[in-house]
Amino acid sequence: MRKINYTLVLLTAFFMFFAVQLTAQNVKGIVKDAGTKENLYGATAMIKGTSTGNITDENGYFLFKTTAGTQTIVFSYVGYETIEREINVKSGETFDVGVIYLEPSALQLSGVEIIADRAKERETPVAFTNIKARDIEQVLGSRDLPLALNSTPSVYSTDQGGGAGDARINVRGFNQRNVAIMINGVPVNDMENGWVYWSNWDGISDATSSIQMQRGLSAVNLATPSIGGTMNVITSPTERRAGGTAKFEYGTANFMKATVTAHTGMINDKFALSFSGVRKVGEGVIDGAWTDAWAYYIGAAWNINSRNRLELYAMGAPQKHGQNSYKQNIAAYDSTFAKSIEDYDPAAVAAFPQANADSMYAAPFGYNNAKGGVFYNENWSPVSSSYAGQQFYNGKIRDRHSTNMLNERENYYHKPLVNLNWYTTWSDKVSQFTTVYYSGGRGGGTGTLGSVRWNYHGGIVSPSRWVHWDKTIESNIANGASRGILRNSVNNQDAFGALSKVKIDWNENMKTQVGVDWRTARIDHFREVRDLLGGTHYVEKNNQFKPNYEAKLGDKIAYDFTNNVDWLGGFLQTEYSKDFFSVYATVGYSGTVYKHTNFFMRSKTDTTAAMSVKSDLLTAFQAKGGMNFRLTERLNVYGNGGYVQKLPIVDAAINDRTSELIEDPSNEKFISAEVGANYRALNNTLNINLNGYYTMWNDRVLTRSSYYLDGTEGIYVITNLDAIHRGVELDFAFQPIKFFRLDGAVSLGDWFYTNDASGTFKTYDSDSTSTLTFYTKDLKVGDAPQTQLAVSATLFPFEGFYLTAGYRYYTNFYADWSADTRIDENDREQSWKTPAYGLLEFHLGYQFRIDDNVSLELFGHMFNALDTRYIQDAVDNSSYNAYRVGGQIVNPHKADAAEVFLGTPRTFNVGMKLHFR
């Protein structure tokens, strides 16, 4: 029997498929926004009176089969006027309708895009990148949302320790405390410290319509911390057509996720409702970083009349997950990799032996499922299955997550966001956009408190210490009162806000916006007993009102205080556009008051009352603007600049552990300038964007907590730190033919501190405060690579199929500096520079129709396809994991003195998605 050549059979079938495609009657074209000329993804092109048609892809392109003859195509898109086009299709030919331009409706269906200050191509003079829903879905693979932006210039995002929702994002060298994160125009940065916890928005990627990453000061007119940039997330608007999707995913470490979405469609052209629900579980790629999460999203719209519209958005993600919070010495993860790094001292390998799960857990505990090496996580360890203790969190006593292991670090939280939007047009020239919102929050994170027993108390060797639960329980039972426990650090909050903008179109060239921004929040912080670990109670000594009381499960311990934040701001923005140029200018003013009440400390003036302090009114000013010139139909150039004052965060105004006001908290100040050009060539198949930026950051305030192995806790407050962030960014997209697209981005940054800073160090267990100088002049800004390269190639060989290969390269990545080791005037050596690295990933998918109303999509992702070892987060001169002899760091500012998170090893995600309408 002759051997079948399967390759030849597959090639023959492939070309036969193309032959059928080429001989069928097809209709194709592109749909664009008439004003911005941007491609519209998800627009519908349908033969009138039938179910024949298709939706546009990420390039605005559509293609579908039809019968020969004269027929009418209906083009529609959410928030745009519907138009019809009559065509005559000949047998065996493809009819090209060309470019179809849709005009926005008078009151757009998704007015949220207006209140969110979306930049417009060739008009708004800022550097920005749009990432559409389809692009997000094709690269994200159910990871944290910021990881979808890693191919954007000057954006660096990592999953840090690997816990679900523990990602962080850095833009132009600014961490996410200085990057405004907005969802549907509502700022979601923490009102106390500006941070964003992505576990709170775990399901947002499934409901996201698009993300616009505006880099630099941005054109957002709210007084937000948008120094590095603004990440503007727009969720999916309610759909005009009824339908929905059902998606299931499976991935590395038994990751499973199910998502269901449904749309009512427009009912009587008045009302529409969309809903999405998510369930996600997984063991965690990094050992012990399991996840147990839900998420929901609701969008509703009511067209009251032609001039008024209401929208309601509600979303949240109740979840809990194991964390990997502590970085390690490189050798603890991979001794071979450590020794391959040029400046890593081989002698350090003996001090930090590579984590071996078998020797640590299997022999003494009989725990056989642990992972070591690059998967090592010191924040969990086994416990005897005979331990039957329960845990307290979220107001109830509950069973533990597992019977034979305990997480030292676990996060549990639910932060719903609800906003009601009202859009009205008072006249042809005046419109108003108002949103009122509520953002709650219940939950916290876990840790140890008191004197727990560590692995070395049980004679077990490991590269870092971890809790020996059995020894701790044994000690507590013998003592009666618990010496060491698991505690919850609770952060319960209620925040309310209102944004209102009035837009006046003076004429076709000039418009003005004026607006107010009001926010208020109450945030309760306390610790409570989570798990007594075998003891009968825990003796609490910090409460001045109840000294030495016997705390049981759920009782408050250590601290109990409330921070109140009251904020009010206003702005005025004017835009002018005519012929070949456009210009905008924004001025804003904001003020805040912080109040702190400590329920564990007595007032110094009334010993029967709780300690309370209140800051003065703190105010800040911003002014920014820019101009764009459309020199030709293909080329535009722009420039922008501004001066922004940033209000001090709570930690810079109040020491909430000692309940003391910090004297004269100063605003951080930013002066920034940027120029750029956008070029469209080769009949718009090549788009190139180039820009340069220069930002001076003056009077920066840093607060860094410090925890020592002897139990000492304290805080560094660093003031008047100045820095310069400057660089060049380039990105391009090239699609010479329908079947192939090439995208790329290059970022060259130069970020450094320009002075030595002053500050203090205060220990929490005493009143001692030290005044310090931090020797930071000429130190490179760390925490993100200053040189980045990203390139991806996508093939579309036939309708519905795509295959993308993406490569990213990072270098000039300096470790974040440690405050502990920058107080020696004789040490001005640069922070350790991590090894350069590159990552390869693949994405593919195929969507095909089952019938006119149902289609199925299959997809897959492979991340870090070459299983590269690399360092994605690093701290210089670690206080905990530096190689030391006699208590002294042996090789300061070298690889063996750093603590790191290694990048996630090779992982995969596959799934299917059913579309129905």
Side-chain angles (χ1 to χ4, degrees):
M1 180 180 292
R2 296 183 61 186
K3 185 177 180 180
I4 298 175
N5 189 325
Y6 289 101
T7 301
L8 182 60
V9 171
L10 287 173
L11 287 173
T12 302
F14 184 79
F15 285 114
M16 288 180 66
F17 176 84
F18 266 107
V20 171
Q21 297 294 307
L22 293 173
T23 57
Q25 291 86 227
N26 295 319
V27 177
K28 69 177 183 179
I30 297 174
V31 181
K32 292 178 176 284
D33 181 300
T36 67
K37 304 302 185 292
E38 291 183 351
N39 299 326
L40 293 179
Y41 166 67
T44 302
M46 302 289 293
I47 300 296
K48 189 174 183 178
T50 74
S51 59
T52 300
N54 206 344
I55 61 174
T56 57
D57 63 15
E58 62 273 11
N59 301 306
Y61 180 85
F62 69 88
L63 173 71
F64 62 85
K65 301 182 185 67
T66 187
T67 58
T70 301
Q71 45 209 297
T72 300
I73 304 181
V74 180
F75 298 95
S76 62
Y77 188 65
V78 173
Y80 290 77
E81 303 289 352
T82 298
I83 66 171
E84 298 182 358
R85 178 71 58 84
E86 186 175 284
I87 62 172
N88 186 8
V89 182
K90 296 180 181 179
S91 178
E93 292 185 359
T94 295
F95 189 94
D96 188 351
V97 299
V99 179
I100 302 297
Y101 293 101
L102 298 185
E103 295 281 352
S105 58
L107 185 64
Q108 286 199 12
L109 185 63
S110 182
V112 71
E113 295 208 6
I114 300 174
I115 204 166
D117 296 311
R118 301 277 283 187
K120 296 181 180 179
E121 191 171 334
R122 291 177 52 81
E123 183 173 334
T124 309
V126 298
F128 68 93
T129 302
N130 287 322
I131 304 98
K132 300 175 184 176
R134 189 65 174 170
D135 300 324
I136 297 169
E137 195 168 36
Q138 287 182 2
V139 302
L140 192 58
S142 286
R143 300 172 299 161
D144 293 345
L145 187 60
L147 297 172
L149 304 180
N150 268 333
S151 294
T152 304
S154 293
V155 174
Y156 184 68
S157 181
T158 79
D159 56 6
Q160 298 197 97
D166 290 341
R168 55 97 175 192
I169 189 171
N170 186 296
V171 182
R172 290 184 175 177
F174 298 90
N175 68 25
Q176 60 192 36
R177 282 191 172 90
N178 297 288
V179 176
I181 312 297
M182 304 181 72
I183 298 178
N184 294 333
V186 173
V188 298
N189 296 74
D190 188 275
M191 286 189 67
E192 289 184 296
N193 59 27
W195 198 252
V196 177
Y197 302 89
W198 292 100
S199 56
N200 297 332
W201 314 107
D202 203 31
I204 192 72
S205 61
D206 299 285
T208 296
S209 171
S210 67
I211 301 173
Q212 185 175 88
M213 186 71 242
Q214 297 182 26
R215 302 185 297 280
L217 293 182
S218 80
V220 172
N221 40 39
L222 297 180
T224 56
S226 54
I227 309 306
T230 299
M231 181 178 171
N232 228 325
V233 180
I234 302 297
T235 60
S236 299
T238 49
E239 302 287 345
R240 283 189 176 274
R241 300 189 64 179
T245 61
K247 181 167 69 171
F248 178 78
E249 299 167 75
Y250 180 80
T252 304
N254 240 4
F255 172 85
M256 288 181 282
K257 180 178 177 182
T259 307
V260 176
T261 302
H263 312 285
T264 64
M266 291 300 295
I267 301 173
N268 298 325
D269 285 330
K270 285 288 186 180
F271 180 79
L273 177 68
S274 292
F275 168 81
S276 178
V278 180
R279 176 68 170 130
K280 185 176 79 171
V281 296
E283 297 172 359
V285 176
I286 302 302
D287 209 14
W290 50 269
T291 184
D292 183 356
W294 300 81
Y296 59 88
Y297 170 80
I298 299 171
W302 178 28
N303 289 330
I304 301 172
N305 51 45
S306 61
R307 290 186 177 272
N308 291 275
R309 174 182 175 81
L310 290 178
E311 290 180 352
L312 175 70
Y313 294 93
M315 66 197 76
Q319 58 80 42
K320 54 184 179 178
H321 70 276
Q323 294 184 289
N324 176 27
S325 300
Y326 303 151
K327 300 178 179 71
Q328 304 293 330
N329 188 280
I330 302 168
Y333 292 121
D334 190 328
S335 58
T336 301
F337 175 59
K339 288 185 285 188
S340 72
I341 299 174
E342 183 178 358
D343 61 347
Y344 191 93
D345 189 340
V349 173
F352 297 93
Q354 180 174 314
N356 186 323
D358 289 336
S359 65
M360 287 196 299
Y361 300 146
F365 300 102
Y367 193 101
N368 299 310
N369 299 318
K371 296 182 286 188
V374 296
F375 305 99
Y376 175 59
N377 175 6
E378 74 169 273
N379 292 144
W380 80 273
S381 45
V383 67
S384 172
S385 58
S386 63
Y387 177 60
Q390 291 182 295
Q391 297 184 337
F392 182 96
Y393 60 96
N394 278 342
K396 295 181 181 180
I397 296 177
R398 307 167 189 266
D399 292 332
R400 306 196 313 268
H401 172 75
S402 172
T403 59
N404 60 354
M405 60 88 75
L406 283 173
N407 286 88
E408 178 191 357
R409 302 284 294 179
E410 178 182 327
N411 177 270
Y412 61 98
Y413 215 78
H414 177 206
K415 186 179 177 65
L417 174 65
V418 181
N419 53 302
L420 177 65
N421 303 334
W422 171 43
Y423 308 100
T424 184
T425 54
W426 296 105
S427 68
D428 292 341
K429 293 184 178 294
V430 181
S431 55
Q432 184 175 347
F433 314 95
T434 301
T435 180
V436 293
Y437 62 90
Y438 165 76
S439 180
R442 297 293 183 272
T446 69
T448 60
L449 189 66
S451 300
V452 298
R453 302 289 86 188
W454 303 98
N455 56 293
Y456 44 76
H457 293 125
I460 301 172
V461 177
S462 73
S464 62
R465 71 178 190 174
W466 43 267
V467 182
H468 196 309
W469 300 113
D470 286 355
K471 289 288 184 183
T472 302
I473 293 167
E474 179 185 320
S475 173
N476 287 342
I477 291 175
N479 190 60
S482 296
R483 290 190 173 101
I485 63 170
L486 265 175
R487 51 78 183 165
N488 295 320
S489 293
V490 180
N491 180 323
N492 291 339
Q493 55 184 268
D494 293 289
F496 298 87
L499 308 174
S500 188
K501 303 180 181 183
V502 175
K503 186 176 73 168
I504 305 172
D505 294 326
W506 300 104
N507 51 50
E508 63 179 10
N509 304 120
M510 185 173 177
K511 59 185 178 182
T512 297
Q513 281 193 57
V514 60
V516 293
D517 170 18
W518 168 78
R519 312 172 211 171
T520 186
R522 173 192 169 108
I523 307 101
D524 297 324
H525 295 273
F526 55 88
R527 283 183 174 175
E528 63 187 10
V529 178
R530 180 183 180 90
D531 193 328
L532 285 166
L533 299 176
T536 58
H537 63 276
Y538 179 76
V539 179
E540 167 53 43
K541 300 179 180 179
N542 292 310
N543 189 339
Q544 295 179 0
F545 295 94
K546 297 169 63 177
N548 297 318
Y549 78 90
E550 298 180 356
K552 304 294 181 64
L553 284 183
D555 286 343
K556 293 180 179 179
I557 54 175
Y559 58 77
D560 178 15
F561 62 86
T562 294
N563 289 332
N564 294 90
V565 183
D566 291 296
W567 170 291
L568 182 63
F571 73 88
L572 174 67
Q573 179 171 294
T574 296
E575 302 172 56
Y576 183 83
S577 180
K578 185 176 182 180
D579 300 330
F580 63 90
F581 79 97
S582 56
V583 61
Y584 88 95
T586 301
V587 293
Y589 195 76
S590 56
T592 191
V593 174
Y594 298 128
K595 181 182 177 182
H596 168 83
T597 305
N598 191 324
F599 300 102
F600 271 19
M601 294 182 66
R602 296 182 185 274
S603 169
K604 295 179 180 178
T605 57
D606 180 1
T607 56
T608 64
M611 172 71 76
S612 182
V613 295
K614 186 176 181 180
S615 74
D616 294 330
L617 174 64
L618 307 174
T619 60
F621 170 79
Q622 66 165 336
K624 56 187 178 181
M627 181 174 290
N628 179 78
F629 292 91
R630 296 175 288 275
L631 302 181
T632 70
E633 287 296 319
R634 298 179 178 180
L635 175 65
N636 68 285
V637 297
Y638 64 88
N640 66 66
Y643 172 77
V644 174
Q645 296 176 344
K646 178 188 172 187
L647 289 167
I649 61 176
V650 171
D651 286 343
I654 298 173
N655 185 330
D656 55 24
R657 292 292 294 271
T658 62
S659 298
E660 295 174 329
L661 290 173
I662 295 175
E663 293 185 9
D664 299 322
S666 60
N667 292 333
E668 298 181 40
K669 304 170 185 68
F670 300 84
I671 301 173
S672 185
E674 181 174 0
V675 294
N678 305 319
Y679 183 61
R680 309 292 179 261
L682 304 178
N683 197 27
N684 284 332
T685 62
L686 174 63
N687 297 341
I688 301 175
N689 305 308
L690 174 67
N691 64 278
Y693 63 91
Y694 188 97
T695 302
M696 289 187 292
W697 186 358
N698 295 330
D699 296 323
R700 180 184 181 185
V701 177
L702 283 177
T703 58
R704 296 195 173 182
S705 297
S706 185
Y707 303 90
Y708 296 99
L709 296 181
D710 63 2
T712 302
E713 296 184 41
I715 186 170
Y716 288 96
V717 179
I718 305 165
T719 56
N720 68 282
L721 181 61
D722 299 343
I724 288 176
H725 293 239
R726 59 191 181 190
V728 177
E729 300 165 341
L730 169 73
D731 66 280
F732 67 88
F734 181 46
Q735 188 164 5
I737 56 176
K738 177 181 178 294
F739 308 114
F740 175 76
R741 177 185 173 101
L742 185 68
D743 295 90
V746 179
S747 309
L748 304 175
D750 183 21
W751 318 321
F752 56 94
Y753 300 104
T754 60
N755 70 326
D756 294 330
S758 59
T760 60
F761 177 72
K762 184 178 182 64
T763 54
Y764 292 138
D765 57 354
S766 72
D767 290 329
S768 64
T769 300
S770 303
T771 300
L772 302 169
T773 298
F774 297 89
Y775 298 96
T776 52
K777 189 176 187 300
D778 298 325
L779 195 66
K780 292 287 188 178
V781 174
D783 204 35
Q786 302 203 16
T787 301
Q788 304 179 35
L789 167 68
V791 63
S792 65
T794 304
L795 296 174
F796 310 95
F798 49 86
E799 182 183 354
F801 181 87
Y802 68 88
L803 171 63
T804 300
Y807 181 79
R808 289 177 281 120
Y809 179 78
Y810 301 107
T811 188
N812 290 328
F813 184 1
Y814 294 88
D816 203 7
W817 57 280
S818 171
D820 296 327
T821 59
R822 288 294 174 184
I823 54 179
D824 180 359
E825 63 181 326
N826 297 314
D827 181 6
R828 290 187 175 274
E829 188 175 349
Q830 194 58 253
S831 294
W832 177 57
K833 185 163 70 171
T834 70
Y837 69 92
L839 297 175
L840 179 67
E841 58 188 42
F842 293 101
H843 315 275
L844 62 87
Y846 178 48
Q847 182 177 346
F848 58 92
R849 288 196 174 278
I850 297 175
D851 60 32
D852 287 342
N853 296 312
V854 180
S855 64
L856 180 66
E857 182 177 357
L858 306 175
F859 56 86
H861 311 270
M862 182 172 288
F863 304 104
N864 191 7
L866 302 179
D867 202 21
T868 301
R869 291 285 181 271
Y870 64 99
I871 294 167
Q872 66 176 10
D873 298 275
V875 174
D876 185 53
N877 278 8
S878 169
S879 299
Y880 316 101
N881 295 304
Y883 174 44
R884 298 170 186 264
V885 173
Q888 299 298 313
I889 296 178
V890 177
N891 303 298
H893 313 300
K894 304 297 182 185
D896 52 271
E899 63 178 18
V900 307
F901 281 135
L902 290 192
T904 307
R906 182 192 298 119
T907 60
F908 74 90
N909 174 280
V910 296
M912 61 178 64
K913 185 176 184 180
L914 188 68
H915 305 254
F916 55 90
R917 64 186 185 189

